C-alpha cells in the first residue's frame, strides 16, 4: 500500500538544541520511508506547523512524527494535538501519553498503580519545601520535566543536607519544579520496545568506567554530552546485549512491558532502569519519542538495540508505521 506520509520533525540548527535532529538524520528517515514505497512531505515542526498540516489535510494519509516540540511541559504533545484537531492519523503515542511521560513524578504515580518499583521521591516547587524532604541520603536532584539528561549533573548527587540545600537552591533557579529522588547505586539499563504489542529489543547496559575518577555512576549530562563524545571507541560506553542472567532478563522485560501498557504507549519507547545492589530493578524514566539516529556518528540507545535485534532504520520505520496504520484502521 503506497501512502503519502507527512514527516514532522524539529531541525537542529545550533549545538544546544540537543533534542532536535540533524539534517543527516532527517534525510535518513525520509529515505527509509521512501524505500517502503511511500511519498514523503517534509513538515518542520516550527511555529507554522499547524498551518502546514491544515493545508495538507486530505492530502496526507498519515504523519510520521518525531518532533520534540518547541517548549513547555507538554511540548512533545504539540504535533499529535494538531493532528487530532485536524483528524490526521499519526505515529507514536497520544498527546496525553507524551505529556505524562515527560513528567517524571506523574509517570511514577501511574506505574506505582501497576506494581512497578521506583526510587522514592518528592516533588519540590520552592526552596522552603526542602524542609519536607525526609528521604535517606544519598539523593539525586533532577528536573521534573526534562529529557536527554538536561539539568542532571554529577553534583546533583548529594550526600548530606548541606549539599542538598546548596544544589537545590541552584536547580530551582533554572528548573521548577524539581524531583528529589533516592539515589540507587548500581548498574543502569535501557530497554527499547517496538510495536503496539511491543517487542522488547536487546537490553543495553550503560557503562561508566570512562567517567573521570570520583564521578557518580549516572547517565547525566556530562556523560551523554561531554565524555561519550570524546570516546574513540563507542563500545566503551555501553554493552548490548547486556550481560544479565535469564531470570534478570525476564524480569526487566516483563516490567518494561508493564510500564508500556500502564502508560498506554504506542509504537515505540525507551525505558531506563537502575538495578540496585540486591538485584532489584527500579524504574527511572521513559522516553515516548526515542531518537532514531541510525547515522552511527552519535551514541543513540534505541538504534543500538534495534541493530542488535537485526533491524535497520527502514525496518524500524516500517514497524512503527504499520503499528500506527493498524491503530487507525488504515491497513488494507
Amino acid at each position: 500500500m503506497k501512502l503519502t506520509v507527512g514527516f514532522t520533525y524539529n531541525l537542529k540548527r545550533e549545538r544546544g538544541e540537543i533534542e532536535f535532529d540533524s539534517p543527516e538524520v532527517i534525510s535518513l528517515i525520509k529515505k527509509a520511508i521512501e524505500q517502503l514505497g511511500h511519498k514523503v512531505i517534509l513538515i518542520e515542526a516550527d511555529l507554522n506547523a499547524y498551518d502546514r498540516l491544515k493545508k495538507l489535510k486530505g492530502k496526507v494519509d498519515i504523519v510520521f512524527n518525531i518532533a520534540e516540540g518547541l517548549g513547555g511541559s507538554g511540548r512533545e504533545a504539540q504535533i499529535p494535538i494538531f493532528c487530532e484537531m485536524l483528524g490526521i492519523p499519526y505515529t507514536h503515542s497520544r498527546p496525553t501519553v507524551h505529556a505524562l511521560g515527560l513528567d517524571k513524578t506523574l509517570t511514577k504515580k501511574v506505574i506505582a498503580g501497576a506494581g512497578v518499583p521506583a526510587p522514592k521521591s518528592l516533588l519540590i516547587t520552592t526552596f522552603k519545601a526542602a524542609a519536607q524532604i525526609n528521604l535517606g541520603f544519598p539523593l539525586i536532584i533532577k528536573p521534573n520535566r526534562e529529557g536527554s539528561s538536561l539539568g542532571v549533573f554529577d553534583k546533583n548527587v548529594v550526600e548530606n543536607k548541606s549539599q542538598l540545600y546548596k544544589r537545590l537552591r541552584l536547580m530551582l533557579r533554572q528548573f521548577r519544579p524539581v524531583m528529589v529522588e533516592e539515589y540507587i547505586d548500581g548498574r543502569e539499563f535501557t530497554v527499547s520496545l517496538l510495536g503496539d504489542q511491543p517487542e522488547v529489543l536487546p537490553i543495553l547496559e550503560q557503562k561508566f568506567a570512562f567517567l573521570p575518577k570520583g564521578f557518580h555512576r549516572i547517565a547525566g549530562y556530562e556523560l551523554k554530552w561531554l565524555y561519550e563524545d570524546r570516546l574513540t571507541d563507542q563500545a566503551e560506553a555501553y554493552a548490548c546485549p547486556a550481560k544479565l542472567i535469564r531470570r534478570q532478563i525476564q524480569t526487566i522485560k516483563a516490567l518494561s512491558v508493564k510500564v508500556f501498557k500502564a502508560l498506554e504507549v504506542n509504537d515505540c519507547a525507551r525505558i531506563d532502569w537502575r538495578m540496585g545492589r540486591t538485584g532489584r530493578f527500579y524504574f527511572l524514566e521513559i522516553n515516548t519519542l526515542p531518537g532514531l539516529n541510525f547515522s552511527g556518528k552519535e551514541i543513540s540507545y534505541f538504534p543500538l538495540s534495534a541493530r542488535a535485534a537485526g533491524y535497520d532504520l527502514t525496518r524500524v520505520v516500517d514497524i512503527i508505521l504499520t503499528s500506527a496504520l493498524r491503530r487507525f484502521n488504515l491497513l488494507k
Side-chain angles (χ1 to χ4, degrees):
M1 180 172 62
K2 291 187 177 181
L3 304 170
T4 299
V5 179
F7 176 26
T8 50
Y9 58 89
N10 289 114
L11 183 62
K12 181 189 291 185
R13 291 183 169 85
E14 299 177 6
R15 182 174 174 80
E17 296 172 331
I18 59 177
E19 293 194 313
F20 292 178
D21 287 290
S22 68
E24 181 182 12
V25 172
I26 301 302
S27 177
L28 288 172
I29 296 173
K30 177 178 180 288
K31 288 178 181 177
I33 299 172
E34 290 172 337
Q35 285 173 355
L36 295 169
H38 308 312
K39 177 183 176 182
V40 179
I41 299 176
L42 296 175
I43 307 166
E44 185 172 357
D46 56 18
L47 294 175
N48 299 311
Y50 176 80
D51 291 332
R52 292 195 188 100
L53 285 167
K54 187 176 180 180
K55 290 178 181 178
L56 289 170
K57 182 178 179 179
K59 299 177 182 178
V60 295
D61 298 296
I62 192 168
V63 165
F64 190 92
N65 174 51
I66 64 165
E68 294 284 345
L70 296 181
S73 59
R75 57 188 177 274
E76 292 179 348
Q78 289 167 2
I79 291 298
I81 286 173
F82 293 164
C83 288
E84 292 200 347
M85 289 171 66
L86 296 167
I88 301 173
Y90 57 92
T91 65
H92 295 75
S93 293
R94 293 178 291 110
T96 49
V97 177
H98 286 307
L100 178 63
L102 201 57
D103 189 307
K104 294 179 177 65
T105 299
L106 288 179
T107 298
K108 288 169 76 172
K109 288 181 178 180
V110 174
I111 65 164
V116 176
K120 294 178 183 177
S121 62
L122 287 172
L123 187 68
I124 302 297
T125 57
T126 66
F127 185 73
K128 287 183 179 179
Q132 302 172 8
I133 299 173
N134 57 358
L135 303 171
F137 290 98
L139 300 170
I140 183 168
I141 307 167
K142 302 176 181 179
N144 189 55
R145 301 184 187 123
E146 291 291 349
S148 302
S149 295
L150 285 169
V152 181
F153 299 98
D154 182 69
K155 289 184 178 180
N156 288 29
V157 179
V158 294
E159 307 284 347
N160 52 56
K161 285 189 176 181
S162 175
Q163 292 179 4
L164 170 64
Y165 294 155
K166 181 179 179 180
R167 197 65 188 171
L168 198 56
R169 191 184 296 276
L170 184 65
M171 287 288 291
L172 285 168
R173 289 175 188 162
Q174 188 172 0
F175 305 99
R176 190 184 295 261
V178 299
M179 181 180 70
V180 177
E181 181 180 70
E182 288 180 327
Y183 173 66
I184 307 296
D185 192 19
R187 299 166 68 185
E188 188 158 325
F189 302 91
T190 286
V191 179
S192 297
L193 302 99
L194 182 60
D196 259 6
Q197 297 299 318
E199 175 187 357
V200 181
L201 302 180
I203 299 161
L204 182 146
E205 180 172 5
Q206 175 71 61
K207 292 184 180 180
F208 300 104
F210 62 92
L211 285 173
K213 186 177 180 180
F215 263 57
H216 296 93
R217 295 159 55 87
I218 61 170
Y221 185 90
E222 292 109 330
L223 180 145
K224 288 187 177 180
W225 304 108
L226 296 177
Y227 297 113
E228 277 189 349
D229 286 351
R230 299 175 186 175
L231 293 175
T232 55
D233 181 5
Q234 291 186 353
E236 292 181 45
Y238 64 89
C240 187
K243 292 183 179 179
L244 292 166
I245 62 175
R246 180 179 296 181
R247 175 179 53 80
Q248 292 169 331
I249 293 172
Q250 291 172 341
T251 299
I252 195 172
K253 282 186 173 183
L255 286 170
S256 297
V257 172
K258 187 176 284 190
V259 170
F260 193 94
K261 291 183 176 180
L263 297 174
E264 299 183 1
V265 178
N266 293 125
D267 301 342
C268 64
R270 205 195 75 235
I271 304 173
D272 296 336
W273 298 90
R274 198 78 166 180
M275 186 171 75
R277 299 295 187 185
T278 63
R280 190 183 193 201
F281 289 104
Y282 296 87
F283 171 89
L284 294 182
E285 61 182 85
I286 186 169
N287 185 342
T288 56
L289 273 175
L292 296 179
N293 184 350
F294 276 74
S295 70
K297 295 180 180 179
E298 297 178 9
I299 295 174
S300 188
Y301 298 151
F302 189 95
L304 286 169
S305 291
R307 282 202 175 102
Y311 295 157
D312 61 8
L313 176 58
T314 302
R315 180 60 180 144
V316 168
V317 167
D318 187 25
I319 293 171
I320 292 172
L321 270 174
T322 301
S323 176
L325 290 167
R326 184 180 296 114
R327 186 167 60 256
F328 285 97
N329 297 314
L330 294 175
L331 281 182
K332 296 180 181 179

